[in-house]
Amino acid sequence: MGDTNIRVVCRFRPQNKREIAEGGFHIVSFDDDMTSVKCESKEYPGTFNFDRIFDWGATQQDVFEYSASSIDIMNGYNGTIFAYGQTGSGKTHTMMGDMESNEFKGLTPRIVEYIFATILNSPSNLEFTVKVSFMEIYMEKIRDLLNPTNDNLPVHEEKGRGVYVKGLLEVFVGSVEEVFEAMRRGQSARVVAYTNMNAESSRSHSIFVLQITQKNLNDGSIKTGKLSLVDLAGSEKIGKTGATGQTLEEAKKINKSLSALGMVINALTDGKSSHIPYRDSKLTRILQESLGGNSRTTLIINCSPSSFNDTETVSTLRFGMRAKTIKNKAKINAELSPSELKALLKKAKLEVTELEGQVAAIEKELSLWRAGQTVPESEWVKISASSTTAAAAEAAPAADGIAPALLDIVASKSVAAVPLENDEREDFLRRENELADQLAEKERELEQQKKLVESLQEELTFVKAREAEVTQENKQLSANLTEMQLQLEKILFENKESLITVDTLKESKVELERELESLKKQILELQAAKLPEPVDDSGEKEKKKQEKMAQMMAEFDPTAVMDDKEKQMRETLAKLTHMKETSQPPTDPTEIAAQHYELLDVKTQLAHQQVQMSELSDKVSSTASELSALRARKEEVEAKLAALESEYEQLLEKTIQEEEQHFGGEISSVVQDLKSKLEVQYNAKREAQEKEIDELQAVATKKDEEIARLQRLLAEKSKDADEFQATIESLRKAAAGTGAAPADVGSSEEIERMRKTMAQQLIEFDAMKKKLMRDLQNRCEKVVELEISLDETREQYNNILRNSNSRAQQQKMAFLERNLEQLTNVQKQLVEQNATLKKDLAVAERKLLTRNERIQNLETLLQDSQAKIEMQNQKYEAQLSAMREKIRQSQAQQADWGSSWVTSSRIAKPLRGGGAAHVAGEDADESDMADPPTTPSSKRSSWYISLLKK
Ligand SMILES: Nc1ncnc2c1ncn2[C@@H]1O[C@H](COP(=O)(O)OP(=O)(O)OP(=O)(O)O)[C@@H](O)[C@H]1O
């Protein structure tokens, strides 16, 4: 087994849109056999040689065919394919591509298909077991992409097993489709973050591992090959990605892995380094075997042909050039069959015998040297060290199980100064593994704590934000509430004040009313006290009355008129009597008839007059009754006047006394008030009396008019009587003219009757006249009495005024008036204030009601908003708990999925070569063996696919 250089393949992709947009152009050109590329970079122009170059026109199949040709895992060789290059240079396109597309699927799917096809075409005595694992190194942490909950797996190294990732899920697969499904799962779990360079730029290193164990059923030998397909993170400088913040941190760690890779490559290729720094990063540690170890390795460097990325392209090309010189020592990983082991044993025994002989010769030579003798150089014992080392090295993996890395170290000249014993190495590795476990455990815990802290911080931020919002709202509401409370308090305070003022006013009003009442009483007492002494002037009064009566009766003397009329009537009656005695009744029947008719007329007129007289008599009697009523009323008025005067006097007296006692002060105003009221009362009463007197005068005038009318009636009656007399006279003359006495007895009887009637009427008239006169006299008397009474009243009033006008009284009155005026003003002011306050109170009460309503509304609003806030809080809490529940469920699902995957992946699925599939515990069916490669695997994988698709 000789050393083989790493195969380096260079692939250029076409210019992308951005490069074209930026005015990029091709800076690379190739030689004809596509092994040399000339780069026209501004800064580092040069030519780079590789095993093979693929330009942008190369297909996926082209790349696969060349790259896969070195892969020989079916024969127990380890293989590694790296894809290196800047972001967006086509690493993923090359390694994975579009798995669903026949044309664009990348290396990995094509290799998988190739492997399964090879298995199916292998001899039937070979049984294959295929298992895959998929991991990602991100931020120097290994995450299992097939079981993403394992996100910080430790790297272990053991004697006989070499370097491996502890706890990484290895899934047994039985078909291409199963591998593809695992790849899809792993791809979806990769950490992808955005950068400016590429929208889907991957900043993690992904390693897909296919491990094939081949068992020869004939001799029992086993070969194990492991193929690692590595898609490295972008190799560009940090600045170019535009990564900042956390991504800057990421870039540093990614660069650490890539730097370590570069350092390892440098150490492997410079020929000077005694130490290869595999342990500097997880990536180099895992890929230790692939770089300078037991692996056939292909490095595919992906580049952009554009001038836009010339620096990165040159850097990548240089990397590839350096890596090209790495030498690997690939060997078959085989477990020897018993016969091979026997042969090896025999060989080893021979070597041991040979070595024992050598040791004996050396010891013999040594004893001679120690004894002071010399041994010629030609007799020195020859040590065949190379054969021993080679034999030991060849047997080591199988027989001794020494780790290749350790062998490297042992082989290294500088380290060889203190070689470790096997036990020490084992102990060292064991301790290292333990520490790695502990470290991983601690890191996992740390990660969990970080996540917890992050989630708690998120929650805290959310809660803080919410709290800030709520606090703000609360502040606002509190401010509103405080303002409203202040307003309410202010209103209540104003209301209380108003109520107090109203109460005070009510009290003062009651007090004033009480005082007014007492003052009224005092006035009444004063008036009673000041009632003037009745003056006994009845004689004078009577005399005055008589005079007035005489004057009045003289003005219209009805008796004179009546007397004249009576006289006339009597004369007429006498004439009639005389005519009866002296003259004869008319003899002429016509005359008699005429006289008869005249007499009838006279009789009628007399009857009429009688009626009128009776009417007059009735009117006089009614007038008399009215007069008596007037008199009664007058007396009543007089009584009232007297009472008032008395009241006034009492009040005046009392007021003066009190004024004298309490000169000035409050009582003066009360007195003033009293005086004012008294004066008002007095004026009112006086006006009422004057009105009554005016009414009485009007009644008297009316009566005078009636009397005048009666007089006119009497005059008319008198005139009628004159006419009647004239008629009688004419009758008498007519009788005298004829010279003959009325002969008719009937006529004389008639005349006699007329005479008697007239006499009778005269008597009645006389009586009536007397009666009328009496009535008239009475009426006049009453009128006179009324006039006198009026005069007296006037006199009394004048007396009062005079009394009031006396100097002392005037002073007191002036004082009282002033006080009264002040009192009035004060009272007016109080009344006005009271009215204003009442209005204000009404307004304030209305305002209070309004504000109470407003406060109630605001309180309702506040309650509503609080309820809303509570509801929102509940909503947020519900959302939060729902989110937590979802996270918990997804975690549980992931855990379940992982655990189910773990469980199912533990089941090995051996595949038999020659197209025959063999399921453990089952005999292979003949028909299955004839099936095309995909069919049986599809059948076998149905349970697995359904599991994955769950
Ligand atoms: N040879 C090619 N032919 C055609 N298109 C290509 C080729 N190589 C890459 N691309 C396209 O370029 C884009 C970037 O490629 P890809 O994602 O493989 O880059 P990358 O190096 O893996 O980037 P990253 O480091 O971010 O993962 C993709 O859209 C891909 O289809």
Side-chain angles (χ1 to χ4, degrees):
M1 183 68 50
D3 289 355
T4 52
N5 279 20
I6 285 182
R7 181 189 280 196
V8 179
V9 175
C10 177
R11 188 181 191 189
F12 288 92
R13 62 158 171 76
Q15 279 199 107
N16 61 26
K17 284 180 186 170
R18 189 179 171 193
E19 288 166 341
I20 293 165
E22 295 283 343
F25 53 89
H26 286 168
I27 55 164
V28 290
S29 57
F30 316 102
D31 65 347
D32 292 339
D33 59 356
M34 295 300 279
T35 53
S36 175
V37 55
K38 193 178 175 190
C39 185
E40 308 285 350
S41 168
K42 278 184 219 163
E43 294 173 31
Y44 310 102
T47 305
F48 301 87
N49 298 311
F50 301 103
D51 293 302
R52 180 69 189 266
I53 296 167
F54 292 100
D55 67 3
W56 42 91
T59 62
Q60 298 280 58
Q61 182 64 21
D62 295 339
V63 178
F64 162 71
E65 280 172 4
Y66 183 80
S67 309
S69 62
S70 66
I71 304 299
D72 199 9
I73 57 168
M74 304 300 291
N75 292 318
Y77 284 99
N78 288 339
T80 306
I81 299 176
F82 283 107
Y84 179 92
Q86 73 173 114
T87 294
S89 58
K91 298 185 294 294
T92 310
H93 177 77
T94 301
M95 296 304 292
M96 283 291 178
D98 181 2
M99 288 196 308
E100 318 304 329
S101 160
N102 261 337
E103 189 183 351
F104 296 110
K105 59 189 167 197
L107 267 178
T108 311
R110 285 173 197 273
I111 287 170
V112 169
E113 284 172 353
Y114 166 75
I115 287 168
F116 276 91
T118 309
I119 290 170
L120 291 170
N121 289 324
S122 297
S124 60
N125 64 324
L126 298 179
E127 188 183 82
F128 297 90
T129 308
V130 185
K131 57 182 178 182
V132 295
S133 60
F134 203 0
M135 73 188 105
E136 172 188 66
I137 304 172
Y138 177 67
M139 304 278 282
E140 282 303 288
K141 278 181 192 160
I142 298 167
R143 190 157 74 115
D144 191 345
L145 292 175
L146 299 182
N147 188 13
T149 48
N150 289 340
D151 57 358
N152 189 19
L153 298 169
V155 179
H156 277 212
E157 186 175 345
E158 281 177 16
K159 189 178 77 175
R161 191 177 172 185
V163 179
Y164 67 97
V165 178
K166 190 191 172 192
L168 184 71
L169 181 65
E170 291 180 320
V171 179
F172 285 100
V173 288
S175 71
V176 172
E177 190 51 46
E178 285 181 4
V179 183
F180 280 16
E181 190 59 38
M183 283 157 66
R184 284 189 203 102
R185 288 229 165 233
Q187 279 292 91
S188 66
R190 285 192 73 182
V191 173
V192 174
Y194 289 103
T195 68
N196 292 343
M197 292 293 289
N198 190 331
E200 289 186 352
S201 172
S202 165
R203 287 179 285 125
S204 65
H205 311 282
S206 74
I207 303 168
F208 184 76
V209 181
L210 262 161
Q211 189 171 331
I212 300 170
T213 307
Q214 175 190 313
K215 186 177 180 184
N216 189 328
L217 298 175
N218 294 338
D219 61 9
S221 64
I222 294 171
K223 289 178 188 168
T224 304
K226 192 167 83 173
L227 176 63
S228 301
L229 299 157
V230 185
D231 184 358
L232 293 170
S235 62
E236 67 283 343
K237 287 170 187 162
I238 298 168
K240 195 139 191 170
T241 63
T244 52
Q246 193 199 346
T247 51
L248 186 70
E249 201 57 36
E250 287 178 11
K252 277 181 187 170
K253 286 198 174 177
I254 290 161
N255 265 23
K256 187 186 170 188
S257 280
L258 286 174
S259 303
L261 181 65
M263 297 300 289
V264 166
I265 289 170
N266 279 344
L268 286 169
T269 55
D270 64 4
K272 297 179 285 182
S273 301
S274 57
H275 171 65
I276 313 297
Y278 292 115
R279 291 170 187 272
D280 281 7
S281 76
K282 296 267 170 65
L283 179 73
T284 49
R285 188 84 197 283
I286 292 167
L287 298 175
Q288 188 171 316
E289 284 298 300
S290 307
L291 299 163
N294 174 23
S295 174
R296 288 184 174 178
T297 300
T298 299
L299 172 67
I300 302 174
I301 53 167
N302 294 85
C303 303
S304 161
S306 177
S307 58
F308 180 72
N309 283 311
D310 63 344
T311 314
E312 297 297 339
T313 300
V314 168
S315 167
T316 308
L317 291 171
R318 284 181 169 176
F319 180 87
M321 283 284 284
R322 263 202 324 277
K324 200 173 172 305
T325 56
I326 297 173
K327 287 195 187 308
N328 279 5
K329 303 174 196 73
K331 64 176 182 61
I332 295 170
N333 303 309
E335 283 180 31
L336 302 176
S337 64
S339 57
E340 287 171 323
L341 284 171
K342 276 177 191 169
L344 269 178
L345 185 63
K346 195 177 173 186
K347 192 182 170 188
K349 278 179 180 171
L350 281 172
E351 282 177 356
V352 167
T353 312
E354 188 186 334
L355 287 170
E356 281 173 353
Q358 277 187 10
V359 168
I362 289 166
E363 281 176 350
K364 192 178 169 189
E365 189 184 323
L366 185 64
S367 61
L368 288 172
W369 283 103
R370 281 181 182 165
Q373 294 174 6
T374 55
V375 180
E377 196 173 348
S378 57
E379 290 178 15
W380 286 2
V381 178
K382 299 256 183 313
I383 299 170
S384 57
S386 61
S387 66
T388 310
T389 310
E394 205 168 302
D400 299 331
I402 298 169
L406 213 53
L407 286 174
D408 285 337
I409 296 165
V410 172
S412 170
K413 286 173 188 168
S414 60
V415 181
V418 189
L420 292 172
E421 291 299 321
N422 277 352
D423 289 347
E424 283 178 325
R425 281 184 202 132
E426 280 174 25
D427 192 42
F428 167 74
L429 287 174
R430 189 179 49 77
R431 279 170 56 198
E432 188 193 21
N433 290 341
E434 280 174 9
L435 286 169
D437 285 349
Q438 283 177 11
L439 187 67
E441 189 58 38
K442 293 291 171 198
E443 280 178 346
R444 206 168 16 249
E445 277 177 20
L446 190 67
E447 196 59 35
Q448 280 175 356
Q449 293 296 330
K450 268 185 189 172
K451 278 180 187 166
L452 188 68
V453 167
E454 272 173 21
S455 72
L456 284 172
Q457 272 177 345
E458 271 177 27
E459 207 174 312
L460 191 68
T461 314
F462 174 77
V463 169
K464 273 183 181 171
R466 189 74 205 120
E467 190 198 358
E469 276 176 33
V470 171
T471 311
Q472 191 64 29
E473 283 174 18
N474 277 347
K475 269 184 189 172
Q476 188 66 35
L477 287 171
S478 301
N480 288 347
L481 192 65
T482 315
E483 200 179 322
M484 283 192 302
Q485 277 174 345
L486 283 173
Q487 282 181 2
L488 180 67
E489 277 174 16
K490 194 179 164 191
I491 290 162
L492 286 171
F493 176 72
E494 285 175 357
N495 190 21
K496 276 179 187 171
E497 265 194 347
S498 302
L499 284 171
I500 290 164
T501 316
V502 168
D503 286 346
T504 318
L505 284 170
K506 276 180 184 170
E507 279 173 12
S508 60
K509 189 188 164 196
V510 169
E511 209 170 304
L512 280 169
E513 278 176 354
R514 217 181 295 127
E515 281 179 14
L516 192 66
E517 205 60 39
S518 69
L519 283 168
K520 273 182 185 173
K521 278 181 189 167
Q522 284 175 0
I523 286 165
L524 287 172
E525 283 169 14
L526 279 169
Q527 280 179 344
K530 273 281 175 182
L531 199 65
E533 290 290 320
V535 183
D536 190 14
D537 56 349
S538 57
E540 202 177 324
K541 219 172 170 181
E542 195 59 32
K543 197 178 168 187
K544 206 172 177 180
K545 185 178 165 187
Q546 290 299 330
E547 282 173 5
K548 284 210 168 199
M549 280 288 291
Q551 197 181 350
M552 191 177 280
M553 294 302 286
E555 279 174 6
F556 56 93
D557 189 5
T559 51
V561 180
M562 293 297 281
D563 284 349
D564 288 345
K565 289 186 185 285
E566 189 184 349
K567 210 172 175 181
Q568 281 177 0
M569 281 190 77
R570 286 186 189 284
E571 281 174 0
T572 306
L573 188 63
K575 278 176 188 176
L576 280 171
T577 309
H578 180 70
M579 206 165 67
K580 178 192 166 187
E581 287 171 354
T582 59
S583 55
Q584 293 296 315
T587 54
D588 190 0
T590 317
E591 257 183 74
I592 290 165
Q595 283 178 358
H596 180 68
Y597 286 128
E598 278 180 10
L599 278 170
L600 283 174
D601 281 346
V602 169
K603 274 173 80 176
T604 312
Q605 281 179 5
L606 272 171
H608 190 65
Q609 279 182 353
Q610 276 177 347
V611 170
Q612 281 185 339
M613 288 298 278
S614 69
E615 281 178 0
L616 280 169
S617 173
D618 290 343
K619 279 186 180 176
V620 166
S621 64
S622 70
T623 308
S625 64
E626 280 177 12
L627 271 171
S628 64
L630 282 169
R631 176 170 289 180
R633 201 168 168 191
K634 182 202 159 209
E635 281 171 4
E636 197 183 321
V637 167
E638 277 177 353
K640 277 184 183 175
L641 183 66
L644 275 172
E645 280 173 353
S646 160
E647 193 181 341
Y648 175 72
E649 286 301 323
Q650 278 178 357
L651 179 64
L652 199 61
E653 189 65 30
K654 196 173 179 183
T655 304
I656 291 161
Q657 280 173 4
E658 285 180 0
E659 185 213 337
E660 282 170 359
Q661 282 172 4
H662 313 285
F663 189 75
E666 290 179 0
I667 199 66
S668 62
S669 61
V670 175
V671 169
Q672 193 72 17
D673 185 26
L674 278 173
K675 188 188 170 190
S676 163
K677 287 189 176 166
L678 190 62
E679 195 135 337
V680 168
Q681 276 186 352
Y682 178 73
N683 285 336
K685 282 181 182 176
R686 196 181 72 183
E687 277 170 15
Q689 282 180 348
E690 278 178 353
K691 201 174 168 187
E692 269 184 83
I693 286 162
D694 287 341
E695 281 174 7
L696 285 170
Q697 277 179 344
V699 171
T701 312
K702 208 172 164 187
K703 295 297 169 194
D704 285 346
E705 282 172 3
E706 206 168 336
I707 286 162
R709 193 173 67 81
L710 285 169
Q711 280 176 346
R712 277 197 303 279
L713 272 172
L714 279 170
E716 281 172 13
K717 295 296 169 194
S718 174
K719 196 177 171 186
D720 289 344
D722 286 348
E723 282 173 4
F724 181 65
Q725 196 176 359
T727 307
I728 292 169
E729 190 66 29
S730 66
L731 283 170
R732 192 184 58 80
K733 279 176 183 175
T738 56
D744 194 355
V745 178
S747 295
S748 76
E749 283 175 358
E750 187 71 27
I751 289 165
E752 184 60 26
R753 226 175 14 254
M754 272 176 65
R755 190 187 64 76
K756 282 181 181 172
T757 309
M758 281 182 74
Q760 185 63 33
Q761 282 181 347
L762 269 171
I763 291 159
E764 286 173 1
F765 186 70
D766 192 27
M768 191 174 72
K769 188 189 84 176
K770 281 178 184 170
K771 195 180 169 189
L772 273 171
M773 282 306 290
R774 258 200 318 276
D775 287 342
L776 187 63
Q777 200 169 357
N778 288 336
R779 191 175 53 80
C780 285
E781 261 181 30
K782 283 171 188 170
V783 169
V784 167
E785 278 172 6
L786 278 169
E787 280 180 353
I788 288 164
S789 162
L790 185 65
D791 288 343
E792 282 172 359
T793 308
R794 278 180 185 148
E795 187 64 26
Q796 281 174 1
Y797 178 67
N798 289 333
N799 282 338
I800 289 165
L801 282 179
R802 270 197 300 279
N803 287 336
S804 300
N805 286 339
S806 69
R807 195 166 181 180
Q809 288 278 9
Q810 272 178 354
Q811 280 178 354
K812 286 172 186 172
M813 283 301 282
F815 177 75
L816 284 170
E817 275 171 5
R818 276 200 306 280
N819 288 344
L820 189 63
E821 205 170 329
Q822 286 169 1
L823 261 176
T824 313
N825 286 336
V826 170
Q827 195 204 7
K828 269 182 190 171
Q829 282 174 3
L830 282 170
V831 167
E832 280 170 9
Q833 279 178 359
N834 198 9
T836 317
L837 282 169
K838 273 181 183 172
K839 278 180 194 166
D840 289 348
L841 179 65
V843 172
E845 278 174 351
R846 277 204 301 277
K847 278 182 184 173
L848 187 65
L849 279 172
T850 320
R851 284 179 187 182
N852 279 341
E853 279 173 13
R854 198 177 157 220
I855 287 159
Q856 278 176 352
N857 289 339
L858 286 170
E859 278 175 352
T860 316
L861 279 174
L862 186 66
Q863 281 172 355
D864 285 353
S865 56
Q866 277 175 345
K868 274 181 188 170
I869 288 165
E870 269 181 30
M871 271 174 66
Q872 277 183 346
N873 277 343
Q874 283 172 0
K875 205 172 129 189
Y876 284 131
E877 277 173 14
Q879 283 177 352
L880 204 62
S881 52
M883 276 169 66
R884 282 180 186 155
E885 183 59 25
K886 273 185 185 172
I887 290 165
R888 197 190 59 74
Q889 279 177 359
S890 67
Q891 281 175 349
Q893 272 180 359
Q894 279 181 352
D896 289 347
W897 183 83
S899 60
S900 64
W901 181 282
V902 170
T903 311
S904 67
S905 66
R906 303 292 181 204
I907 304 165
K909 298 163 189 170
L911 300 166
R912 185 79 58 82
H918 175 79
V919 179
E922 287 182 17
D923 291 332
D925 199 301
E926 284 298 318
S927 59
D928 285 346
M929 292 180 69
D931 281 345
T934 52
T935 314
S937 59
S938 301
K939 279 182 185 171
R940 281 198 312 275
S941 64
S942 59
W943 65 271
Y944 174 76
I945 298 299
S946 63
L947 179 70
L948 287 177
K949 285 178 180 170
K950 270 180 190 173

